[in-house]
Amino acid sequence: KTFFCLLLCIPWGSSCPPSCQCTEQAGAKAVVCSSRHLQEIPKDIPRDAVSLKLDTNSITRIPSNAFRHLSHLEELDLSRNAIEKIDRAAFKGVAAGLRTLDLSSNRIRSVPKEALLVLNAKLRLANNPWHCECALQEVLWEARLDPDSVQDITCHTAPREEYVGKPLLQVLDAGVNFCSVRQRTTDVAVFVTMFGWFAMVIVYVICYVRHNREDTCKHVDYLRSLPSTQGHAE
């Protein structure tokens, strides 16, 4: 009987990580791992977690499939960490249900747009050392950003010095288009490549013509060197 009671009391598949605190209210489980000196995302987060707070830690990277088993997750707070790298499939498995994602106050310079544009969540990206480029511009245009934090997405570095230190939204409002700059660079590269191929074709044609001309001249000289039919008859 005692053993049977123990089986009923064990929370199978929903144990709480030692470094976190788990609470449940109205059937929704919240996992709080704030300020725990974590350097990576815990592996044993309960599968039924709806809210996960990992803020104010020392996490440096969000690897692929980091939250894949958390199919019920709606709120994810990763603010005030040391995140520098976000893999393309970092939020695979939670993209559909996630409602809020806080990545503010990290060390993110760039992020694969594929990682964020698959999300329906409201994003907070403020206070990161962003490098203003086409991918970040597309995120600003296409993702669901928290309107209260958009002005704090600032260009820490940029293709031109005059953009540094300015909010990305202000730079774009001034008519700058980082994607068109990349497109021009691509066009130039394509033009150079096509010109190179065209030059090779021209050189080949010239060499071919010269080679045929030399063969023709040799053939003519050979014919001239032969005794004429008239001379042979006499």
Side-chain angles (χ1 to χ4, degrees), residues 21-179:
Q21 180 180 0
C22 299
T23 61
E24 189 167 341
Q25 186 175 3
K29 177 165 288 187
V31 181
V32 180
C33 311
S34 307
S35 305
R36 300 289 179 158
H37 306 290
L38 299 175
Q39 296 183 348
E40 61 181 16
I41 298 167
K43 305 294 185 184
D44 49 355
I45 298 170
R47 293 179 175 271
D48 54 350
V50 174
S51 174
L52 175 59
K53 292 181 68 67
L54 291 164
D55 58 295
T56 321
N57 282 293
S58 302
I59 299 170
T60 58
R61 179 190 174 197
I62 308 178
S64 296
N65 302 312
F67 310 100
R68 189 172 186 175
H69 65 290
L70 304 177
S71 58
H72 301 284
L73 196 62
E74 297 180 4
E75 300 176 1
L76 178 57
D77 188 353
L78 288 159
S79 63
R80 295 182 293 282
N81 273 279
I83 298 170
E84 296 181 352
K85 180 174 176 56
I86 300 176
D87 290 358
R88 293 179 183 272
F91 304 107
K92 187 175 182 179
V94 297
L98 205 60
R99 294 190 304 176
T100 62
L101 172 60
D102 195 341
L103 291 168
S104 60
S105 301
N106 277 282
R107 300 176 184 173
I108 307 170
R109 296 189 69 252
S110 62
V111 61
K113 64 180 182 180
E114 296 86 357
L116 299 182
L117 294 185
V118 297
L119 301 173
N120 294 319
K122 184 181 291 186
L123 303 177
R124 295 182 66 89
L125 304 175
N127 302 318
N128 281 286
W130 289 108
H131 174 65
C132 288
E133 57 180 349
C134 182
L136 182 59
Q137 175 179 315
E138 290 179 342
V139 168
L140 188 69
W141 280 349
E142 300 179 35
R144 288 186 59 219
L145 298 181
D146 185 345
D148 295 332
S149 66
V150 172
Q151 286 292 345
D152 294 323
I153 301 176
T154 304
C155 297
H156 184 75
T157 56
R160 296 179 61 175
E161 188 67 27
E162 62 190 271
Y163 307 145
V164 175
K166 294 182 178 179
L168 176 60
L169 192 61
Q170 177 182 334
V171 174
L172 297 178
D173 284 344
V176 177
N177 189 337
F178 294 107
C179 294

Side-chain angles (χ1 to χ4, degrees), residues 199-212:
M200 289 177 61
V201 171
I202 294 298
V203 170
Y204 174 79
V205 171
I206 291 174
C207 292
Y208 180 79
V209 170
R210 286 181 176 177
H211 180 73
N212 283 351

